[in-house]
Amino acid sequence: MAIVTYILHKNQPFTEEELEEIEALKNMKDEDIDYSDIPELTEEQLKQFKRVNPIRKAAN
């Protein structure tokens, strides 16, 4: 499985294009989302999920 990492630069303002895309996504209805390229998860796969704490302290 590939891991994608994206580093956000602090205090970097959004471009006009990014702001327009964000606004379009905010206004999108759930039924407008295309899930056709994403396979449904099986019950077995769902049982393997576990909750993790997203806030982790940096190692000293």
Side-chain angles (χ1 to χ4, degrees):
M1 178 188 319
I3 297 176
V4 177
T5 303
Y6 183 79
I7 299 172
L8 297 175
H9 300 284
K10 287 186 179 180
N11 302 321
Q12 181 178 3
F14 290 112
T15 65
E16 189 64 34
E17 183 179 321
E18 290 170 328
L19 290 172
E20 289 174 6
E21 184 176 358
I22 291 169
E23 193 61 32
L25 291 170
K26 284 171 44 178
N27 295 325
M28 180 182 283
K29 297 178 183 174
D30 287 347
E31 54 269 9
D32 294 334
I33 300 172
D34 179 12
Y35 294 104
S36 64
D37 62 338
I38 305 170
E40 283 192 39
L41 295 173
T42 64
E43 287 297 321
E44 186 63 35
Q45 290 170 315
L46 292 171
K47 289 177 185 177
Q48 293 176 1
F49 289 150
K50 63 181 177 179
R51 186 180 297 253
V52 296
N53 185 357
I55 301 172
R56 297 181 183 178
K57 294 183 179 181
N60 293 331

